Amino acid sequence: MKKIKVGIAGLGRLGKVHANNIAYKIPNAELTAACSIVPAELEYAKEKLGVTDVYTDFREMLEKADIDAVAIVTTSSEHCWQIEAALDAGKHVFSDKPLGVDVAQCKQAEKAVERHPDLTFMLGFMRRYDKSYAYAKKKIEEGAIGTPYMVKATGIDPEAHVEGAIKFAATSGGIFLDMAIHDIDLMRWFLGCEATEVYAQGCTFKHPEFQQVGDDETAMACYKFENGAMGFVHVGRTAPHGYHVETEIIGTEGSIRISAIPEKNQAMIFDVHGAVTECVGSFPERFDEAYLLEMQEFIDCVCEGKQPGVNVYDGTKSTAIGYATTEAWKTGKIVKIG
Ligand SMILES: NC(=O)c1ccc[n+]([C@@H]2O[C@H](COP(=O)([O-])OP(=O)(O)OC[C@H]3O[C@@H](n4cnc5c(N)ncnc54)[C@H](O)[C@@H]3O)[C@@H](O)[C@H]2O)c1
C-alpha cells in the first residue's frame, strides 16, 4: 500500500491529536517530519511519535523534509501563509480551522488553492465528520424534517479550562472568531445557504479578566439567511459540567437535536446524588473520532487525487461571517454580511 508521507506543523493541544492519528491510526499515512517553535514539542515528536526529522522553521521543513503533504495545526494567524507556501512547494495541504484570521488572508489562500488544482486541500471543520452531525445532514437531505428553517447552536467550554481561555483572550480575535466558527460553518451546511445579516451581544458575570482585554465570557448572535431561515448561536466559557456542544435543526416537518445532553457515554450512576450522567470534559474527548475520520478523508483524497467536501471557500465564508458577528457584538448594531 502506498503511504502518504506527512509533515505536521504545530504540536500543541490539537497538533498532538492529529500527529498521533497520522503516526499510529491511519494505515495509508506516515508521519515523517514535524515542525514547532516550541523545543519541548520537538522532543515530544522524537520520543512519542518516533519522528526524528524535526524543524523550528516551516519553510525549511518544506525544503528539506521527505513529505508529500503537510498538516497545519499552528496558531490561527499562521495558517494562510503556510498554506500558500506549502502548495507552492508542491505539497498537499490539510489546515485546521479557521482558514485565516481576516478575509484578505483567506483570499490569498484561495488564490494559492486555485493555482494548484492538482493538489488536495482540506480545511479541518471536523464536526462535519462527527457521526451524529453527519447523520443529521443525511436525514435533512432525505427530507426527514422538511425544509430546515432554524439552527440553534450552543458551544460552552468547561470552566475547568477557563484559565487557558483568559490567557489567550487578548489574541484570540474575540469570542466569536475563537469559538463560534464551527457553529457558523454548521449553520451554512445544514441550511444550505448563506447568512445575510447578524445581531450579537456579549456579557461577563464571573471572570472580569475577559472584559479587561476587550473580550466577553459569554455571547450570543442571531442570523438571518438568504432564504429567510434563522440561526442562533450561544457561546461561552464557563460550563460547570464539562464541554457542552449542542445543536438543534428545526424544519417544517420536524427537528433534530444533537447532544442535547453532552454525555460522556451511555452509563448512568445511581447514588446519593441521584441518577447522574457524566459529561465529556474537552474537545479532544468529544470529537476524537471526528478528528480521525477527517484526517483519514484527507489522506484518502490525496491517494485518489480528489478534493474533500470542506474546501477553501467554506473557510473564507465562515471567517467573513465571524468578522461580521464580531462587528455586530462590538457596535450593538445589525450588520449586513457582504
Ligand atoms: N478543530 C478544532 O476543534 C480545534 C480545536 C482546537 C484548536 N483548533 C485550531 O488548531 C490550531 C492550533 O490550536 P492549539 O489549541 O493546538 O494551539 P496551541 O497554542 O496549543 O499550539 C500551537 C502550535 O503552533 C505552533 N506554531 C506557532 N507558530 C508556528 C510557526 N510559525 N511555525 C511552526 N509552528 C508554529 C506552536 O509551536 C504550537 O505547537 C488553531 O488554529 C486553533 O484554532 C481547532
Side-chain angles (χ1 to χ4, degrees):
M1 182 201 306
K2 177 175 160 53
K3 288 196 174 202
I4 303 301
K5 293 174 184 160
V6 184
I8 191 145
L11 280 168
R13 291 182 312 164
L14 184 60
K16 288 192 181 74
V17 175
H18 285 313
N20 276 283
N21 285 340
I22 296 164
Y24 300 119
K25 295 186 186 165
I26 298 182
N28 49 348
E30 58 184 317
L31 192 65
T32 54
C35 174
S36 167
I37 53 174
V38 179
E41 292 176 0
L42 297 179
E43 287 310 308
Y44 174 93
K46 289 179 194 166
E47 283 169 24
K48 304 283 184 200
L49 303 166
V51 175
T52 51
D53 191 17
V54 298
Y55 301 86
T56 51
D57 184 89
F58 182 75
R59 289 186 196 278
E60 196 184 342
M61 179 170 82
L62 292 179
E63 217 174 282
K64 296 186 179 162
D66 182 16
I67 51 175
D68 307 303
V70 291
I72 297 171
V73 205
T74 53
T75 311
S76 304
S77 54
E78 306 291 301
H79 293 181
C80 284
W81 76 261
Q82 292 181 337
I83 290 167
E84 189 172 12
L87 289 167
D88 286 345
K91 313 297 177 192
H92 305 278
V93 175
F94 170 93
S95 171
D96 218 284
K97 68 82 195 157
L99 177 62
V101 293
D102 64 47
V103 176
Q105 275 188 3
C106 293
K107 293 278 181 195
Q108 276 297 111
E110 276 185 10
K111 281 189 194 141
V113 171
E114 286 163 1
R115 268 201 304 281
H116 299 285
D118 49 325
L119 295 172
T120 298
F121 173 80
M122 178 169 179
L123 186 67
F125 276 134
M126 84 299 175
R127 286 193 198 173
R128 296 195 192 192
Y129 292 83
D130 174 79
K131 280 197 174 148
S132 303
Y133 283 97
Y135 180 75
K137 174 73 174 171
K138 184 168 165 285
K139 296 307 280 184
I140 291 168
E141 284 175 347
E142 288 170 2
I145 60 166
T147 303
Y149 63 79
M150 190 189 296
V151 177
K152 295 198 273 181
T154 298
I156 320 173
D157 280 346
E159 179 142 24
H161 298 174
V162 77
E163 290 308 323
I166 289 169
K167 198 167 140 203
F168 290 109
T171 54
S172 73
I175 190 163
F176 288 108
L177 282 164
D178 188 31
M179 296 194 65
I181 204 96
H182 287 293
D183 303 301
I184 289 168
D185 177 61
L186 288 176
M187 284 190 303
R188 297 179 56 244
W189 193 48
F190 286 134
L191 294 173
C193 67
E194 298 299 338
T196 54
E197 59 184 53
V198 55
Y199 172 75
Q201 287 289 342
C203 65
T204 297
F205 278 82
K206 289 184 91 173
H207 301 282
E209 296 94 323
F210 285 111
Q211 286 196 334
Q212 282 159 15
V213 293
D215 203 1
D216 258 323
E217 182 179 270
T218 296
M220 65 89 187
C222 299
Y223 297 87
K224 186 168 180 189
F225 282 76
E226 59 195 358
N227 69 350
M230 298 171 285
F232 176 79
V233 174
H234 159 205
V235 281
R237 312 182 197 262
T238 54
H241 51 289
Y243 175 65
H244 191 132
V245 166
E246 176 186 350
T247 309
E248 182 174 11
I249 308 110
I250 304 166
T252 52
E253 310 302 327
S255 62
I256 303 176
R257 291 183 81 166
I258 302 157
S259 302
I261 299 168
E263 49 199 13
K264 191 178 196 69
N265 51 41
Q266 305 229 340
M268 184 172 277
I269 302 163
F270 297 86
D271 64 8
V272 291
H273 303 293
V276 179
T277 301
E278 287 184 26
C279 295
V280 285
S282 61
F283 65 85
E285 184 185 356
R286 168 64 181 84
F287 289 110
D288 61 341
E289 192 183 31
Y291 291 122
L292 177 59
L293 290 175
E294 71 170 353
M295 195 56 78
Q296 181 70 68
E297 163 89 341
F298 171 66
I299 296 295
D300 289 347
C301 283
V302 172
C303 288
E304 293 161 23
K306 292 196 315 201
Q307 294 297 339
V310 195
N311 61 36
V312 72
Y313 306 105
D314 292 311
T316 308
K317 286 264 162 59
S318 54
T319 295
I321 297 169
Y323 251 83
T325 311
T326 302
E327 192 189 332
W329 161 54
K330 294 280 182 198
T331 61
K333 296 196 170 127
I334 294 173
V335 172
K336 300 272 181 209
I337 303 169

